[in-house]
Amino acid sequence: MKISCLLLDDDPLVLDLLQAYVAMTDILDVKAAFTDPLSAHRYLLENPVQVLFSDVTMPHLSGIDLVRSLHQPPLVILMTAYPQYAMEGFNLDVIDFLLKPISLDRFLKAVNKVAGILRVSTSAADAQNDTLTGWGSFFIRTDAQFVRLHYREVLYIEALKDFTKINTSDGRTHLTLVNLKNLEEQLPPGMFVRTHRSYLVNAARIDSVSNLEVKVSGHALPLGQTYRERVTERIVNRSLIRRQH
């Protein structure tokens, strides 16, 4: 997927050069190019982009003031012939600062930096989304091998002294030499709920809760008195279930 960007410089020749550089990258998508910072400002208010390439010294509104005026600015790469603006720019957390005349290799370095930041951001967002929807996964060691299990396929986990038995939706069980407390600490908070000192249950798999038991996909599991109020309150309030959507 290409990275959307806006080009801003009061010198049309610089814009032409940037457009030529962009064409060589094959990863940037120029949504708009302006010589007037006020026009660029109006555009950004209605049309968010991922990256802003902006000159610093322009009439009416400097590139630095433009960035300051945006409530949620995109990633910013500032361009200028005056290196004294660099410190002020970096105080605004700009991604890079290109000195004019801008060479192709320096431009590409800035683009690579942006691409790296966006990849990390996207990966983190995907990982968080995977966890919240249950598509995330974890590994356990069992039978001298490591096995990947997805959160959403785990029905419940049962403590067996120093072992834990993980019961999954496909009817299989997995024994691993990790105690329940340590395993619970490694699982996403809020996705699993303790119903008994020996049971940890996938909240999204709970069918019903009564005074003495929790039913999970046809399995009747004990509900300890110590955990009853907490489980009932959290299930009724859907605080755990909501996290799965």
Side-chain angles (χ1 to χ4, degrees):
M1 184 178 295
K2 290 195 173 186
I3 300 169
S4 62
C5 66
L6 182 146
L7 309 179
L8 171 61
D9 198 295
D10 62 343
D11 185 343
L13 294 178
V14 173
L15 287 183
D16 289 342
L17 177 66
L18 292 175
Q19 293 274 22
Y21 284 172
V22 166
M24 299 179 193
T25 68
D26 200 35
I27 64 171
L28 293 176
D29 179 17
V30 178
K31 296 299 184 182
F34 295 97
T35 56
D36 173 30
L38 295 177
S39 297
H41 180 264
R42 286 191 294 269
Y43 181 91
L44 288 170
L45 291 178
E46 300 294 332
N47 305 277
V49 297
Q50 293 171 290
V51 186
L52 167 64
F53 291 86
S54 177
D55 188 15
V56 173
T57 54
M58 296 177 290
H60 308 304
L61 188 69
S62 74
I64 290 174
D65 288 337
L66 170 63
V67 175
R68 285 194 180 121
S69 70
L70 298 172
H71 178 60
Q72 291 184 315
L75 300 179
V76 177
I77 296 175
L78 292 178
M79 309 173 294
T80 186
Y82 306 100
Q84 62 266 30
Y85 289 108
M87 185 57 67
E88 189 172 2
F90 284 124
N91 286 338
L92 292 175
D93 293 326
V94 302
I95 300 305
D96 210 340
F97 195 91
L98 301 179
L99 287 176
K100 297 178 180 179
I102 302 169
S103 64
L104 176 60
D105 66 314
R106 189 63 185 84
F107 177 82
L108 293 177
K109 184 176 180 180
V111 172
N112 288 337
K113 186 183 296 187
V114 166
I117 291 171
L118 291 176
R119 275 196 299 270
V120 170
S121 177
T122 300
S123 297
D126 287 346
Q128 182 182 43
N129 184 63
D130 283 348
T131 297
L132 295 182
T133 58
W135 283 112
S137 61
F138 64 104
F139 281 91
I140 61 167
R141 182 162 187 168
T142 179
D143 296 330
Q145 63 179 332
F146 288 96
V147 177
R148 181 196 295 271
L149 298 177
H150 290 276
Y151 298 126
R152 67 184 297 119
E153 68 182 343
V154 175
L155 296 180
Y156 63 93
I157 303 171
E158 181 182 358
L160 298 173
K161 294 187 177 180
D162 293 331
F163 290 83
T164 56
K165 182 169 71 171
I166 302 174
N167 298 266
T168 56
S169 56
D170 58 7
R172 293 187 298 169
T173 59
H174 304 269
L175 283 176
T176 184
L177 187 58
V178 179
N179 65 47
L180 189 62
K181 182 177 183 299
N182 289 338
L183 184 57
E184 181 180 12
E185 291 173 351
Q186 297 175 49
L187 293 172
M191 184 173 290
F192 293 84
V193 58
R194 184 75 78 102
T195 60
H196 184 275
R197 63 186 178 88
S198 298
Y199 287 89
L200 189 62
V201 173
N202 186 336
R205 294 288 191 165
I206 294 178
D207 298 320
S208 64
V209 179
S210 65
N211 286 337
L212 298 177
E213 67 180 20
V214 173
K215 287 191 176 180
V216 180
S217 297
H219 301 271
L221 306 177
L223 176 59
Q225 182 176 356
T226 304
Y227 306 95
R228 186 180 305 147
E229 182 177 352
R230 187 192 324 168
V231 171
T232 303
E233 179 183 354
R234 295 178 72 179
I235 295 299
V236 169
N237 290 338
R238 295 180 58 83
S239 60
L240 291 176
I241 301 300
R242 188 178 297 115
R243 292 180 66 100
Q244 308 300 314
H245 296 292

